[in-house]
Amino acid sequence: MTETARIGVIDSGVGGLTFVREILALCPGADIIYFGDSANCPYGNQTRERILELTFKALSFLQQSHIHVGVIACNTISTLIDTLQSNSDIPLFSVVSPAAEAVACSGVKRVGILGTEFTIAVGTYQKLIRAINPDIELLCQGSLHLAALVDQGAPEQDVEREIVSRFGPLLEHNPPPESVILGCTHYPIVKDFFVRRYPHIEFLDPAVELAKVLTRWLEQQGLETKGQGSLKIYTSGALDVYQRILEKLKIPAPQVLEHKIP
Ligand code: DGL
């Protein structure tokens, strides 16, 4: 009998639910175990060492569920994928590489990258895109606050104010970027704000490309992804924001939604 795919998903908070939405659409039969470290969010304002320490703890917790693969849904954590992978005995997938590759090959000439200050400063998107397509023009901007505002379920006007004040200059650049990577998992949750205010720009969610790449890999491994799977969500933070974001993203109610400190 074919074994059901067991996917561990890590994010600094609710943001990785944007990946869960994408993977459920492609692999409804997988068992997904999610950990969102909302108590320590935002990761984007922490040191590399602290992010690694928190991620290793979260990975060990998910490995208790005998996952076949670990998905680093968080862009900030994904910038450290090489160090994480060399210390892990299960395969890990980064959200950054598939999106960078897709954009570099898409034929667009001017691309915006929005993310945490950490993600933008490390420059993984920039390096990966330029390695494939050195002619592409990149406009990059980080935010210290947007992920935390979304993770705390802040009022809409606070979210909108941060988007416009931090990202407005890039999004209003003349000539404007043709595509903009929402390079933080929390940003696609509020994609409607971006689209409403900047309708001429195409906003990309990196989780879409990651879900495609992971689905192909699971199939190559001969793991079952069709039929009826399960979703277990654990967080170090408050459960009500998760409930609200699950509804907003139209993700069916999980079998488990529990508080957990790994
Ligand atoms: N959601 C995370 C990302 O994709 C980071 C948010 C945070 O700063 O914790 O980068």
Side-chain angles (χ1 to χ4, degrees), residues 72-76 78-79 94-104 111-116 118-133 136 138-140 180-185 204-207 209-210:
I72 312 296
C74 175
N75 294 254
T76 305
S78 289
T79 64
S94 146
V95 70
V96 172
S97 323
E101 234 168 82
V103 164
V111 172
I113 306 172
L114 310 182
T116 63
F118 190 97
T119 300
I120 300 301
V122 174
T124 310
Y125 271 113
Q126 297 92 309
K127 282 175 214 150
L128 292 173
I129 293 173
R130 288 217 175 93
I132 301 172
N133 185 347
I136 217 158
L138 298 177
L139 306 167
C140 307
V180 168
I181 300 173
L182 297 175
C184 168
T185 47
L204 307 172
D205 177 358
E209 295 305 322
L210 172 58

Side-chain angles (χ1 to χ4, degrees), residues 11-13 15-16 40-45 73-77 95 115-116 119 144 147-148 183-186:
D11 193 80
S12 62
N40 292 299
C41 184
Y43 274 28
N45 300 6
C74 175
N75 294 254
T76 305
I77 308 176
V95 70
T116 63
T119 300
L144 278 178
C184 168
T185 47
H186 287 70

Side-chain angles (χ1 to χ4, degrees), residues 4 8 13 18 28 31 33 95 110 119 123 125 142 150 163 171 181 183 213 216 220 246 253:
T4 298
T18 53
D31 290 333
I33 306 106
V95 70
R110 198 172 317 100
T119 300
Y125 271 113
V150 175
I163 290 175
L171 298 169
I181 300 173
V213 168
R216 272 197 299 276
Q220 282 161 6
L246 284 165

